[in-house]
Amino acid sequence: MQQNGQFNNKDVSLYLREYKAEMLRCRISEGLQVTSFNRVSIDELQGSIQGIQQQNLTWAAFEEALKTTF
């Protein structure tokens, strides 16, 4: 993961692969993965991520929205 484990708008595809692997390892549901993603991002990105989260997307759609945005 990125420095301090936070997403900082660099290489979103790599970050999402690592995030997803860690969430699966910890058995975190896809719904919780979406709602908690802003907790692993730097403060400057949280507003953008919250806007995407409010769309109530599936994990796959959320992942695509992040890739499009970042």
Side-chain angles (χ1 to χ4, degrees), residues 1-49:
M1 294 213 171
Q2 314 264 336
Q3 182 179 5
N4 299 325
Q6 291 184 302
F7 174 60
N8 61 7
N9 197 18
K10 305 278 188 213
D11 200 356
V12 69
S13 295
L14 175 62
Y15 190 88
L16 287 170
R17 276 194 307 274
E18 292 177 357
Y19 178 80
K20 179 74 173 177
E22 185 67 18
M23 295 296 106
L24 288 173
R25 188 181 69 75
C26 295
R27 299 181 184 180
I28 306 297
S29 72
E30 287 192 356
L32 191 53
Q33 290 174 38
V34 170
T35 59
S36 64
F37 190 83
N38 66 326
R39 295 180 186 164
V40 298
S41 65
I42 61 173
D43 293 341
E44 294 83 0
L45 300 177
Q46 289 182 2
S48 297
I49 292 170

